[in-house]
Amino acid sequence: MSNSAADRAFDALRAAIVEGELPPGAPLTEVEQATRLGVSRTPVREAFARLIAAGLATERGPRTLVVSEIEPDDVTALFELRVALDEQAARLAARRSSSDQSSADFAELAARFAAVDAATLSADDPHRHGYYALVAEFDAALDESLSSSPYLAAAIKSTRVHLARVRRLARDDDDRLARSAAEHGAIARAIADGDPERAAAATRLHLHEALTSIHAHLPRSGDDTKERP
């Protein structure tokens, strides 16, 4: 079906952009991507429109489409939003953990984050999919705890594709990933303990450290040196 093909094309292109296979500024053409994805040009055209709407692609002319650049100011604005959303999410998750089964889930996540170190990271694949899969489990547990706050959950989900894209810039920095794991673990432990303000404070610290690291890895405008995909 056309819609199904368009969904697959969009998902594949979004993943390629997030993973860095299609880096910022890379041209996007219907013929090339249709051939690469094994679909006709129509679903690719629909996928391109969705990429533009999601802020992942930019039109540079009537027939020129490129992967959107990642500008330092845009990253700062994204994290300003995340501070408001993620701190509140952590508070709510901690308040609700004492009355349901999520406490045990977050305690397990905290233990798994504590096990992340240089050795486990070096044993992962070059793109560190194992580590990011653990982060995705944390995100899923947080989403589950926000089931009675659908607007907050939806707002957080809308930022994740951009977050995944920018935080991949630090994927070769295992020291940073190990510290990030410890920060995630502190958030998970505070939620498991039912401590809303400690969970919010741990989240705030993590966001500050993540933003600092991302800015250190982010190429400046006009810099021809791109991060490796």
Side-chain angles (χ1 to χ4, degrees):
M1 292 187 299
S2 177
N3 286 341
S4 179
D7 288 342
R8 291 196 301 271
F10 174 72
D11 289 343
L13 288 166
R14 179 177 59 184
I17 291 171
V18 169
E19 292 284 348
E21 296 170 13
L22 291 172
L28 297 170
T29 64
E30 289 181 13
V31 173
E32 179 183 3
Q33 296 306 322
T35 299
R36 185 176 75 86
L37 298 173
V39 297
S40 69
R41 293 173 63 179
T42 298
V44 170
R45 190 177 305 121
E46 294 176 23
F48 282 178
R50 291 171 64 181
L51 291 175
I52 294 170
L56 295 173
T58 304
E59 292 179 293
R60 284 190 176 167
R63 303 183 67 85
T64 304
L65 188 69
V66 299
V67 176
S68 297
E69 300 285 351
I70 302 175
E71 299 293 346
D73 288 348
D74 293 335
V75 175
T76 299
L78 173 63
F79 272 76
E80 288 172 348
L81 177 61
R82 290 195 64 210
V83 167
L85 297 176
D86 290 18
E87 283 191 34
Q88 181 63 6
R91 285 191 187 93
L92 291 176
R95 287 173 188 161
R96 294 165 182 170
S97 69
S98 60
S99 60
D100 57 34
Q101 296 299 311
S102 69
S103 178
D105 294 338
F106 280 105
E108 180 186 357
L109 285 166
R112 292 170 64 192
F113 276 119
V116 175
D117 56 20
T120 60
L121 288 167
S122 64
D124 202 350
D125 69 84
H127 292 294
R128 302 300 185 252
H129 285 121
Y131 170 77
Y132 287 113
L134 178 57
V135 173
E137 287 187 50
F138 173 85
D139 289 343
L142 194 63
D143 290 346
E144 180 66 23
S145 71
L146 297 177
S147 59
S148 59
S149 300
Y151 294 110
L152 177 60
I156 289 174
K157 285 183 179 179
S158 73
T159 69
R160 281 190 182 144
V161 64
H162 298 287
L163 169 62
R165 189 182 178 208
V166 298
R167 72 184 178 193
R168 288 284 183 173
L169 294 171
R171 68 182 172 205
D172 293 328
D173 186 348
D174 282 353
D175 287 341
R176 172 57 206 151
L177 292 184
R179 294 195 301 274
S180 177
E183 292 156 15
H184 276 90
I187 300 168
R189 173 54 61 189
I191 293 173
D193 291 345
D195 190 331
E197 292 313 312
R198 180 155 58 92
T203 300
R204 185 162 54 251
L205 174 62
H206 168 61
L207 294 177
H208 171 77
E209 295 298 326
L211 179 59
T212 300
S213 175
I214 288 168
H215 273 305
H217 288 82
L218 193 64
R220 300 304 185 213
S221 296
D223 187 352
D224 291 331
T225 303
K226 303 292 185 184
E227 291 289 322
R228 294 191 304 277

